[in-house]
Amino acid sequence: MLATACVPATTFASTNWITPAEAAHFRTTPSYADTLTYLQRLQKAAPGKIHLETFGTTPEGRPMTVVIASGDGTFTPQAARAAHKAVVLVQAGIHPGEIAGKDAGLMLLRDFAITGKYPHLLDHVVLVYIPVFSVDGHANSSPYNRINQNGPASMGFRGQSQYLNLNRDYIKADAPEMRAWLKLWQTWQPNFLVDVHATDGADYQYDLTWYTEDPHKLDPAVASWQQQLTDTVMPAYDKRGHLASIYLEFKDGRDPRKGIANFGSGPRFSTGYAALQNRPALLIETHMLKPYGVRVKAVYDLVELMLADINRDPAALLAATHKADADVIARADNPAARVPLTFKLDPVPTSYTLKGYAFSQTHSDISNDIWIRYDPHTPRNYTIQNWNRLLPDLSITPPAAYVVPAQWTVIIDRLKAHGIAYRRIDHPLTMTAQGYQLDDPRWATRSFEGHLMLRDFTLATAPRTVTLAPGSVIVPMDQRAANVAIELLEPQAPDSLLHWGYLNAIFEAKEYGEPRVLEKLAREMIAKNPALKAEFEKKLHDDPAFAASSRARLEFFYKRSPWYTVQRVGAYPVLRLNAAELRQLPVSLPSSGRGPG
Ligand SMILES: [Zn+2]
């Protein structure tokens, strides 16, 4: 059965505590100012349980508010750690048009702190709650911001004020809001992350779908804790009258019978980033077409049940995340360790019963494609194939440490933003280490999140001798956030800074040869090296496009001359040190490298 109660059956100690969305019968959602006013009232009425802080400022100058909630006034990470409490970060409004998490959060905090409905919910858990992550996007409210969605009357805009989608920004960290979030994350080091959204896409019976990262992306301890959580909570959730499913990414939006597949996620997303930080995470997607009150209640119940479950046994979560951190640190001592960078769908599907709706498919003369129309009055089950499991695809052997030359401030800035431990060298240092030579770059042809991403390149490893300027950094891998550093710095990682286009300039030759000069150079090179002439003639024979380009014919020689190679076009600036090379460095490593920090 679907949840049908639009007004939750909350027992109010006083109707004064009705939230703005409840008061409006979920036709509207409150402004940020009204949201903060309500939260401030809660703090004033229950100062020992609710505490508000500002953790950042948006590009338009608005304060970013976080609520700390705890049964006994544990409001700092130090106190939480000392008391062995689990820290759970719940965030709403990273996409502020998908705002049920905000209104559910206000109700749940009230029912924890004021009404006595769940007074013991946070005895052993500290809840860190962001009511609205994208505050500027939330202020940019309009009835027209989400064409696919059924209310509330007006809703926020998907991009923040600089038109960045915060749920693609976790690794590249361009937005000031994301920089603030990363600081909050490092301060609290939450044990579990919950990120609340609403879907787009297909219509079906479920009022909520959820996603956790594939076990192959997680430490086994974290994967198994996460599995246990959903195994325990989801049946209890159904008993409350909800109908939930794993995240539904249809292979073909025109025909749900063709099956579902894992959407892939990745470190640019909240749950993918948490995985790199050795943490379990849950993506909640309420269904866009269910009435707004149903969506709010769907989040309210799921978050309450999750918190209650963690509150019963915080030690299990703490043990899992502690082990995951320790495992990443210990991996640095294992030269045979491999780290997967990319994942592919397991080609073997499982079977899945989709609780969908009857639908029709007609040919459209507008799109010249199939037009699918659902009939939400006719529930229907479909047995479909489910390609939900992932397998590691491309893997690398991590180095003992990375070296980032001082001039690559854009890289060092990101390492710092992610709280990665490193040591700066304070004198020039000449070293030989493993580098990457990158060639044949190809870029995307349109902008994505303000970047022309590097799509493709060839890669070869090559030893390189460099003289590092003072201020260059050594990044050891025996640290708990090593996987974040690997994602940033390994060229082939899908969200590497290279892929995001921050290093595009390395592919630009800054000098060129005039044809009149290259004519002479070519003849000199052939005279010295007859084999080169054979190679040239073979290429003329095998490659008609080459043969047709006088420029390419001359550059064949230029690119093989010291005039070109001196420019080191495609030399990836980040180097990799093995354990022996790292030990020989006359640099002491970060003291925080060995422990959680
Ligand atoms: Zn979303």
Side-chain angles (χ1 to χ4, degrees), residues 95 98 158 197-198 285:
H95 292 152
E98 310 165 13
R158 188 173 181 85
H197 293 249
E285 297 271 357

mmCIF file of all heavy atoms in Angstrom, residues 95 98 158 197-198 285, ligand 1:
data_model
loop_
_atom_site.group_PDB
_atom_site.id
_atom_site.type_symbol
_atom_site.label_atom_id
_atom_site.label_comp_id
_atom_site.label_asym_id
_atom_site.label_seq_id
_atom_site.Cartn_x
_atom_site.Cartn_y
_atom_site.Cartn_z
ATOM 1 N N HIS A 95 19.749 19.645 -4.066
ATOM 2 C CA HIS A 95 18.896 20.078 -5.174
ATOM 3 C C HIS A 95 17.660 20.686 -4.528
ATOM 4 O O HIS A 95 16.750 19.960 -4.125
ATOM 5 C CB HIS A 95 18.517 18.892 -6.069
ATOM 6 C CG HIS A 95 19.681 18.341 -6.827
ATOM 7 N ND1 HIS A 95 19.762 17.026 -7.227
ATOM 8 C CD2 HIS A 95 20.817 18.937 -7.267
ATOM 9 C CE1 HIS A 95 20.908 16.846 -7.880
ATOM 10 N NE2 HIS A 95 21.561 17.987 -7.911
ATOM 11 N N GLU A 98 14.008 19.729 -4.701
ATOM 12 C CA GLU A 98 13.669 18.388 -4.189
ATOM 13 C C GLU A 98 13.773 18.468 -2.671
ATOM 14 O O GLU A 98 14.710 17.970 -2.079
ATOM 15 C CB GLU A 98 14.654 17.376 -4.788
ATOM 16 C CG GLU A 98 14.769 17.504 -6.305
ATOM 17 C CD GLU A 98 15.993 16.785 -6.906
ATOM 18 O OE1 GLU A 98 16.630 15.981 -6.208
ATOM 19 O OE2 GLU A 98 16.307 17.043 -8.076
ATOM 20 N N ARG A 158 17.780 23.969 -9.449
ATOM 21 C CA ARG A 158 18.775 22.892 -9.332
ATOM 22 C C ARG A 158 20.217 23.405 -9.180
ATOM 23 O O ARG A 158 21.013 22.842 -8.448
ATOM 24 C CB ARG A 158 18.671 22.002 -10.569
ATOM 25 C CG ARG A 158 19.490 20.729 -10.521
ATOM 26 C CD ARG A 158 19.136 19.885 -11.741
ATOM 27 N NE ARG A 158 19.840 18.623 -11.791
ATOM 28 C CZ ARG A 158 19.460 17.500 -11.181
ATOM 29 N NH1 ARG A 158 18.383 17.516 -10.415
ATOM 30 N NH2 ARG A 158 20.142 16.395 -11.297
ATOM 31 N N HIS A 197 16.750 13.553 -1.979
ATOM 32 C CA HIS A 197 16.386 14.099 -3.296
ATOM 33 C C HIS A 197 14.942 13.722 -3.658
ATOM 34 O O HIS A 197 14.257 13.034 -2.898
ATOM 35 C CB HIS A 197 17.290 13.496 -4.383
ATOM 36 C CG HIS A 197 18.718 13.897 -4.280
ATOM 37 N ND1 HIS A 197 19.329 14.712 -5.197
ATOM 38 C CD2 HIS A 197 19.667 13.590 -3.364
ATOM 39 C CE1 HIS A 197 20.587 14.899 -4.863
ATOM 40 N NE2 HIS A 197 20.824 14.216 -3.750
ATOM 41 N N ALA A 198 14.523 14.133 -4.867
ATOM 42 C CA ALA A 198 13.312 13.609 -5.504
ATOM 43 C C ALA A 198 13.697 13.143 -6.905
ATOM 44 O O ALA A 198 14.641 13.665 -7.499
ATOM 45 C CB ALA A 198 12.229 14.678 -5.589
ATOM 46 N N GLU A 285 15.495 9.048 -2.741
ATOM 47 C CA GLU A 285 14.781 9.731 -3.816
ATOM 48 C C GLU A 285 13.287 9.543 -3.582
ATOM 49 O O GLU A 285 12.763 8.437 -3.730
ATOM 50 C CB GLU A 285 15.155 9.120 -5.183
ATOM 51 C CG GLU A 285 16.616 9.259 -5.558
ATOM 52 C CD GLU A 285 16.928 10.553 -6.305
ATOM 53 O OE1 GLU A 285 15.992 11.328 -6.595
ATOM 54 O OE2 GLU A 285 18.115 10.780 -6.599
HETATM 55 ZN ZN ZN B 1 18.392 15.435 -6.947
#
